[in-house]
Amino acid sequence: ELENQLTAKSKTLDELKQSLASNGSAEQTPEAQSLRIAELCEMKDSIVNQVAQLKASMESILEQWRAYDEIYAEVSLMTTRYLYCIDQCKPSEEEASLEALKKQVKTLQ
């Protein structure tokens, strides 16, 4: 999307250059027009650099989010396993006897 906007701005800048070159304003001297064109070119270059920096920054951020998602999935899975184990290891009132606990240990092994 940013690249499309940059392309559109670049095209507009080129059209302005052509318009200034072909129409020749009576108020501005050719030197003033050249300075204005140079200024616009510098602005365009600055925008191109900013977009490149933003793109690199966004790629870095996306990579960090991917790593976060992977780690979150692992932690979530481990948490679920631990909660399951804790739930399974809780003796119910019926299983409070020694025999019931031995049977549960065998089941878990």
Side-chain angles (χ1 to χ4, degrees):
E1 182 181 330
L2 289 174
E3 290 177 354
N4 291 339
Q5 290 177 356
L6 181 61
T7 303
K9 297 288 182 188
S10 179
K11 185 177 179 181
T12 303
L13 180 61
D14 290 339
E15 290 171 1
L16 284 173
K17 284 181 193 178
Q18 291 175 355
S19 174
L20 284 174
S22 64
N23 291 337
S25 173
E27 298 172 7
Q28 291 186 348
T29 64
E31 293 83 16
Q33 290 177 352
S34 292
L35 288 174
R36 181 67 179 147
I37 290 172
E39 184 181 309
L40 291 172
C41 287
E42 287 177 22
M43 291 169 71
K44 178 187 136 191
D45 291 341
S46 173
I47 291 171
V48 168
N49 289 334
Q50 289 175 3
V51 168
Q53 290 173 353
L54 180 61
K55 199 174 188 181
S57 176
M58 291 301 293
E59 287 174 2
S60 172
I61 290 169
L62 285 174
E63 186 59 37
Q64 290 173 3
W65 273 109
R66 283 187 205 106
Y68 169 82
D69 285 341
E70 289 174 10
I71 292 169
Y72 180 82
E74 289 177 29
V75 169
S76 179
L77 181 62
M78 288 190 304
T79 302
T80 302
R81 286 179 179 165
Y82 291 136
L83 290 174
Y84 177 78
C85 288
I86 289 171
D87 188 52
Q88 293 299 311
C89 292
K90 279 192 223 174
S92 65
E93 294 178 20
E94 299 169 358
E95 297 176 342
S97 71
L98 182 60
E99 288 300 318
L101 289 174
K102 285 181 184 178
K103 182 178 176 185
Q104 187 176 15
V105 167
K106 282 185 180 181
T107 303
L108 290 174
Q109 290 175 346

